[in-house]
Amino acid sequence: MELHGWGRYPRQQATLALPLSNTQCATTLAASAPLIAHGLGRSYGDSALAATVLGTPYLDHFVAFDDSTGALTCQAGVSLDAILRTFVPRGWFLPVTPGTRFVTVGGAIASDVHGKNHHAAGTFGAHVQHLELLLGNGAVVRASPTEHADLFAATCGGMGLTGIILQASLALKRIASSDILQTTVKAPNLQAALDAFAEHADSTYSVAWIDCLAKGASLGRSLLMLGEHATDGPLQVQTRPPTPVPFDLPAVLLNHASVQAFNALYYGRIRPPVSQQRLPFEPFFYPLDAVGQWNRLYGKPGFVQYQFVLPQAAGVAGLREVLAAIAASGRGSFLAVLKVFGPANANFLSFPQAGFTLALDFKAEPAVFTLLDELDAIVLHHGGRLYMAKDARMSAATFKASYPTWQAFEDVRARWHAHGKFASSQSIRLGLQ
Amino acid sequence: MKKILIIGATSAIAEATARLWAAQGHQLYLLGRNAEHLQNMAADLKIRGAESVSYAASDLNDFAKHAAALDAATQALGGLDIVLIAHGTLGDQKASEQDFSVTLQELNTNAISVISLLTHLANHFEAHKHGSIAVISSVAGDRGRQSNYVYGTAKGAVTLFTQGLRNRLHKSGVQVLTIKPGFVDTPMTAGIDKKGLLWASPEAIARSIVSGIEKRRDVVYAPWFWIGIMAVIRGIPERVFKKLRL
Ligand SMILES: Cc1cc2nc3c(=O)[nH]c(=O)nc-3n(C[C@H](O)[C@H](O)[C@H](O)COP(=O)(O)OP(=O)(O)OC[C@H]3O[C@@H](n4cnc5c(N)ncnc54)[C@H](O)[C@@H]3O)c2cc1C
Ligand SMILES: NC(=O)c1ccc[n+]([C@@H]2O[C@H](COP(=O)([O-])OP(=O)(O)OC[C@H]3O[C@@H](n4cnc5c(N)ncnc54)[C@H](OP(=O)(O)O)[C@@H]3O)[C@@H](O)[C@H]2O)c1
């Protein structure tokens, strides 16, 4: 069957195995390696694509839960949505969550995902107490920061290339309410946005929506969204299903004008410079989940998301350089999200590092690929790197230059029997064994 | 809080249904044949809120064990309010055409085992004069088609058997619900390309089952639109139908 990631680019003919148990995972691996694990397919590019793919929808069981500590053990195919539905009503929340709740625990570990609290809470992997991994030789090992620490550090952020994560134990966090108290700060330009991040560094959650088409004095104008868990109110999840986008919209609908209109609308919605609002956690964390399959808005060709991080030292100048290049190209993105990261961790391929990260969408078309190559050069020049979970096109040279620990990662894979057993279209493109 | 026995519990549709019941805090007993899967399911359902979950593993084609298995379940639950029968195999129609032993196996799994279980259960429910028996049949049992008439025969038998049982148990106040799903995305249909609007998730079927029991319905097509599709298919005259490639 034809498989693709969330960006619907690239597409790949694949054989999909859907094991019902850990035992069947092992038999699938023995019979069909090399292969790659596939969760809910929310990575944008080809991280979860290969000629043979092992899907985890049926490995979706909770295994154990400790009501006193919030320690949850579950199979890797459990979605963050399922965790929220079950545990928010009991006063527990995810320690780290990406901008969609439709990802699996396995996918969240493999991409070592970050959320709006990265500056304070680190990545998803920081809250994984231990995990069980099916290795290329069929053995199942337990790894944690203290047991087989090399394997653990390679698996968190390892894009499925060390083995199949079968289950994991996470530390959920206590909440008193499912509501979020949101503060929105209007920032007229990039410097103001970064200043606002710094000023609000003690906020639990922070992220900015940035208008990529603004030029000149308003380059980088943004809305900074800060959030805190409410201390009173309901403990509930919304049950309304997402409004679907039922068919591929023609690509012309997403031309420059409509993108501009969207950004203007978003920016114009908030009048006062600082405003406050109480809202359920879903619209705060997952605004895009309200529209099912919004990825179809880009039409048949699909789209790519470009997410990079620039180290603190590159500062405003580096960001401004990238934004200017994008604004000049006129290929503004539907979405642009800016966040200030906390410090990097020791996981070999984990993306975040202290600095600024920006994520933008582009229609998948030749001119965009040329532009992105140019952006790569700027990002690399400033010592930055790209997020593999979003990537569909970076070159092996770019990858190896920006993730200098790739060789050490390969050594861990060699030690733990991963070579020849786990590979994705992405890992092949990036020159990994 | 209800005492619920789920037979063929590891089926994707049954598991989705069990999760809805677990969230409502009911007592569950799972009967299936794969012990690893049953154990995973039991732990999961407990965490999702089930009051209690027990399970037993046995091959349901071993009819001689049905009475004891049902007794053990009834004992463990301390009675029975709801039974769901869900196990089944899609079978290989072409293989059945070549070899009657394959056909027999399919009929045993999809019809005879169900009839055996229902024979025991009917007497229990008739004596206790309350509760619900829900059985998953299929739209495939509504009309014979060349592509899967062995499976269709078995499901047709289940549909007819439950219809008769409903008539018998009505006076005892026992609900008998026949569930007829259309195309559902489950391991049973893993080999089939699932594009198209007719495919439903096991969760959607589960919601139909739970609400069908709550509303004490007789027959439920799941999703509901299959009632229209099957009315059309049943309405085609046989002299036309026999020429179709279905
Ligand atoms: C709308 C949207 C918003 C997002 N926001 C964020 C965000 O804020 N922060 C962020 O960090 N990311 C974000 N992402 C990216 C997303 O969190 C990651 O791509 C995540 O890995 C997707 O998980 P998945 O279950 O869909 O995995 P897939 O996309 O199916 O797979 C992703 C990778 O995980 C591996 N993998 C999956 N399961 C296993 C397993 N059981 N064992 C081993 N490897 C496995 C795959 O091999 C692949 O390399 C966003 C994505 C979308 C669509
Ligand atoms: N999927 C559809 O499109 C569809 C449509 C209409 C009706 N149905 C019906 O829905 C019901 C559930 O099927 P499903 O779609 O959920 O498929 P499924 O996940 O494959 O479930 C079938 C279950 O039946 C069990 N089973 C088969 N033979 C058994 C035996 N001899 N003893 C014990 N258990 C046995 C299987 O157990 P193992 O895991 O151990 O093999 C499996 O758990 C079936 O009655 C099916 O006919 C399905």
Side-chain angles (χ1 to χ4, degrees), chain B residues 65-208:
Chain B
K65 293 203 175 127
H66 284 179
L70 294 174
D71 275 350
T74 313
Q75 286 271 316
L77 287 169
L80 285 180
D81 297 314
I82 298 173
V83 174
L84 172 65
I85 302 183
H87 64 285
T89 49
L90 192 51
D92 180 341
Q93 171 67 30
K94 285 276 175 277
S96 291
E97 289 169 14
Q98 298 309 314
D99 182 351
F100 172 70
S101 67
V102 176
T103 305
L104 185 61
Q105 167 83 11
E106 288 309 312
L107 293 178
N108 278 337
T109 306
N110 292 305
I112 308 302
S113 71
V114 177
I115 290 171
S116 162
L117 290 161
L118 285 174
T119 302
H120 296 292
L121 289 165
N123 294 332
H124 174 96
F125 276 86
E126 191 170 45
H128 288 82
K129 294 197 174 350
H130 94 281
S132 303
I133 301 175
V135 183
I136 306 186
S137 183
S138 169
V139 295
D142 276 16
R143 193 155 193 181
R145 295 174 300 131
Q146 60 181 320
S147 57
N148 72 343
Y149 61 84
V150 172
Y151 176 77
T153 300
K155 291 302 190 182
V158 168
T159 296
L160 215 56
F161 192 90
T162 49
Q163 188 174 41
L165 199 58
R166 179 158 47 242
N167 191 203
R168 169 184 155 198
L169 294 182
H170 174 69
K171 60 180 174 299
S172 308
V174 176
Q175 177 198 16
V176 177
L177 172 65
T178 311
I179 302 137
K180 298 184 182 180
F183 301 147
V184 194
D185 183 356
T186 71
M188 180 178 279
T189 51
I192 306 171
D193 195 8
K194 285 170 183 158
K195 288 204 172 131
L197 293 172
L198 290 180
W199 285 90
S201 67
E203 291 73 26
I205 309 304
R207 287 192 292 272
S208 299

Side-chain angles (χ1 to χ4, degrees), chain A residues 17-75:
Chain A
L18 302 173
L20 298 175
S21 62
N22 292 354
T23 313
Q24 284 188 16
C25 284
T27 31
T28 303
L29 176 64
S32 325
L35 49 72
I36 195 72
H38 191 102
L40 277 165
R42 254 51 177 200
S43 54
Y44 280 73
D46 50 1
S47 310
L49 302 185
T52 305
V53 162
L54 184 155
T56 58
Y58 298 124
L59 305 178
D60 69 338
H61 298 97
F62 295 128
V63 176
F65 182 64
D66 183 337
D67 232 320
S68 59
T69 62
L72 171 68
T73 305
C74 63
Q75 288 187 302

Side-chain angles (χ1 to χ4, degrees), chain A residues 308-311 353 378-386 398 401-403:
Chain A
F308 63 91
V309 58
L310 292 184
Q353 55 176 302
I378 304 176
V379 168
L380 238 58
H381 172 75
H382 288 285
R385 59 193 181 204
L386 306 187
T398 300
S402 53
Y403 285 90

Side-chain angles (χ1 to χ4, degrees), chain A residues 29-272:
Chain A
L29 176 64
S32 325
L35 49 72
I36 195 72
H38 191 102
L40 277 165
R42 254 51 177 200
S43 54
Y44 280 73
D46 50 1
S47 310
L49 302 185
T52 305
V53 162
L54 184 155
T56 58
Y58 298 124
L59 305 178
D60 69 338
H61 298 97
F62 295 128
V63 176
F65 182 64
D66 183 337
D67 232 320
S68 59
T69 62
L72 171 68
T73 305
C74 63
Q75 288 187 302
V78 167
S79 69
L80 300 190
D81 182 56
I83 294 177
L84 292 167
R85 280 179 191 288
T86 307
F87 294 102
V88 164
R90 303 181 202 173
W92 297 98
F93 200 71
L94 295 163
V96 165
T97 176
T100 172
R101 59 195 190 273
F102 301 114
V103 306
T104 63
V105 166
I109 295 172
S111 297
D112 203 14
V113 301
H114 55 269
K116 299 178 183 191
N117 57 354
H118 182 270
H119 57 286
T123 59
F124 196 85
H127 307 271
V128 175
Q129 292 160 335
H130 50 85
L131 53 81
E132 277 182 25
L133 192 69
L134 172 64
L135 303 178
N137 65 357
V140 175
V141 296
R142 185 179 150 122
S144 75
T146 52
E147 298 152 279
H148 308 312
D150 60 336
L151 185 60
F152 186 76
T155 301
C156 296
M159 305 309 289
L161 299 171
T162 57
I164 308 290
I165 302 165
L166 296 177
Q167 66 176 52
S169 292
L170 322 169
L172 300 186
K173 75 172 188 182
R174 268 269 175 227
I175 47 169
S177 161
S178 51
D179 282 351
I180 295 289
L181 303 176
Q182 173 178 290
T183 305
T184 307
V185 182
K186 241 174 150 167
N189 57 43
L190 190 60
Q191 186 62 56
L194 297 181
D195 290 348
F197 268 111
E199 189 186 329
H200 297 283
D202 58 348
S203 280
T204 306
Y205 300 106
S206 61
V207 72
W209 291 74
I210 180 164
D211 176 355
C212 286
L213 299 182
K215 296 183 190 175
S218 11
L219 181 86
R221 68 175 167 173
S222 314
L223 287 175
L224 176 65
M225 260 88 94
L226 309 167
E228 300 296 333
H229 291 284
T231 50
D232 62 339
L235 279 169
Q236 64 191 23
V237 285
Q238 294 180 341
T239 46
R240 198 166 52 85
T243 321
V245 174
F247 46 79
D248 299 357
L249 287 173
V252 295
L253 282 181
L254 266 178
N255 63 12
H256 192 85
S258 70
V259 168
Q260 214 155 12
F262 176 89
N263 278 340
L265 194 80
Y266 207 90
Y267 192 73
R269 202 178 51 133
I270 309 268
R271 294 285 164 225

